[in-house]
Amino acid sequence: MTAQTETTGPVTTVYKVSGMSCGHCEGAVSGEISEISGVSSVTAVAKTGEVTVVSATPLDDEAVRAAVDEAGYELAGKA
């Protein structure tokens, strides 16, 4: 019997962030979240309040919350 390992690709998670209203807001949130280890891309959209994060593995919600807080906004949860 051979053991099989599951290969998984990048993980995409969408978060809701309150308080974003412009491009500067999007940049601030994206910049902080992209500093989290394993994050490969971040797309923040102020109009919808959604932040799409692509990472190598699922992120710790508290790490994301801390990054959003550092940017001056509030993480409302996952979309």
Side-chain angles (χ1 to χ4, degrees), residues 35-68:
E35 291 181 16
I36 299 171
S37 178
V39 171
S40 56
S41 81
V42 181
T43 305
V45 180
K47 186 175 181 177
T48 62
E50 292 185 345
V51 180
T52 304
V53 181
V54 179
S55 55
T57 59
L59 297 176
D60 175 54
D61 287 342
E62 286 310 309
V64 176
R65 184 175 308 283
V68 171

Side-chain angles (χ1 to χ4, degrees), residues 1 3 6-7 10-11 13 19 22 28 31-32 34 37 40-41 44 46 48 52 60 63:
M1 227 180 200
E6 220 177 286
T7 32
V11 177
T13 311
C22 64
E32 290 296 333
S34 32
S37 178
S40 56
S41 81
T48 62
T52 304
D60 175 54

